[in-house]
Amino acid sequence: MPTFYGTQVDSRLMLGTAQYPSPAVLEQAFRRSGAGIATVSLRRESAGEGAGESFWGLIRDLGLPVLPNTAGCHTVREAVTTAQMAREMFGTDWIKLEVVGHPDTLQPDPFGLVEAARILSDDGFKVFPYTTEDGVLAGRLLDAGCEVLMPWGAPIGTGLGLNNVYGLRTLRAQFPDVPLVIDAGLGMPSHAAMAMELGYDAILLNTAVAKAGDPAAMAEGFARALEAGRLGYEADPMEPRDMAAPSTPVIGMAFLE
């Protein structure tokens, strides 16, 4: 199982807590998924004093490590301030860092992301940066103090899967010893299996589960796909080939004249 900043988690699935139709459905999805980490938003927790306390109580009852995020932040200052507030509220120095650079694609701002990552790392945070599959940006984030990288599969909430398989495969090869998590854009369990087959360590989901007709069943589907994909990766799969090759040997077969 993956290890993040010296902490081993019990599952390769990180699951978000937003957009579920009810708290009961959220809890069912987590129970059936066996998720190892719950991601939470400071904005969600602070929506109302009563509602926030009820939500936080539900998350505590799950007994999982919590990964707060800076979702919706568009500037370095906003992201850093949100992270500091989240550390105080949730009692953890883990932070999923988002610095949004484009309002439509929600693509990370690479310059702001690196700057915020450096500030937070220097302040003792363990930063999980939401980034793209760009190898140069990945290197800058590692230099800034990050020990985990979370490249997107596709824009947040689109369900498109892995848009740039080549780029993601290259990133895995470029940083073989860095924990890599696919964050955003996955829509089906098959996308999760593909991420595992590329050698990624975990995935982070929210919309694909929360917006499914049966969130609990979809959460379990993703969990099973992660297991299958990882088993396939660890089994050292055959290399693809252009020409056909018979699976049954021709030596010893009878020839008819």
Side-chain angles (χ1 to χ4, degrees):
M1 288 300 169
T3 298
F4 304 115
Y5 290 100
T7 299
Q8 186 177 63
V9 296
D10 296 331
S11 170
R12 297 185 185 278
L13 177 59
M14 304 180 182
L15 194 56
T17 55
Q19 305 185 72
Y20 290 84
S22 71
V25 172
L26 184 155
E27 183 176 9
Q28 291 167 8
F30 269 87
R31 299 297 183 194
R32 287 183 63 176
S33 73
I37 292 175
T39 65
V40 295
S41 169
L42 182 66
R43 287 172 170 80
R44 170 65 178 84
E45 166 67 11
S46 305
E49 185 175 348
E53 182 58 35
S54 176
F55 168 77
W56 183 218
L58 171 60
I59 300 304
R60 282 198 302 263
D61 289 344
L62 293 173
L64 299 176
V66 172
L67 177 62
N69 64 45
T70 63
C73 293
H74 292 259
T75 67
V76 171
R77 181 177 181 180
E78 186 180 12
V80 169
T81 300
T82 301
Q84 292 169 339
M85 294 172 64
R87 178 164 62 182
E88 181 177 349
M89 176 169 289
F90 296 109
T92 179
D93 54 9
W94 282 14
I95 192 72
K96 178 192 167 187
L97 177 62
E98 296 183 30
V99 182
V100 177
H102 193 283
D104 294 327
T105 64
L106 302 181
Q107 178 175 333
D109 172 358
F111 308 102
L113 184 64
V114 172
E115 182 180 351
R118 180 174 292 109
I119 292 171
L120 292 173
S121 294
D122 289 345
D123 192 27
F125 281 90
K126 296 176 173 62
V127 181
F128 294 67
Y130 164 61
T131 182
T132 65
E133 68 277 16
D134 184 281
V136 175
L137 174 55
R140 296 290 188 272
L141 289 168
L142 296 176
D143 292 342
C146 299
E147 297 181 13
V148 179
L149 298 172
M150 303 182 73
W152 64 353
I156 295 172
T158 61
L160 293 173
L162 306 183
N163 273 357
N164 185 0
V165 173
Y166 169 80
L168 293 170
R169 182 182 291 114
T170 301
L171 192 68
R172 176 72 285 177
Q174 187 174 352
F175 301 103
D177 300 321
V178 176
L180 298 181
V181 181
I182 295 293
D183 176 14
L186 304 188
M188 291 294 293
S190 56
H191 300 154
M194 182 180 295
M196 292 297 100
E197 290 166 359
L198 291 175
Y200 277 69
D201 298 284
I203 65 168
L204 193 155
L205 291 172
N206 195 156
T207 307
V209 171
K211 291 299 186 180
D214 186 340
M218 184 62 79
E220 183 178 343
F222 269 101
R224 294 188 182 189
L226 286 169
E227 292 181 7
R230 186 68 188 186
L231 281 173
Y233 172 73
E234 293 177 348
D236 190 17
M238 63 175 285
E239 291 291 332
R241 56 194 305 164
D242 294 328
M243 300 297 293
S247 57
T248 302
V250 297
I251 298 176
M253 294 182 63
F255 288 89
L256 301 179
E257 296 184 3

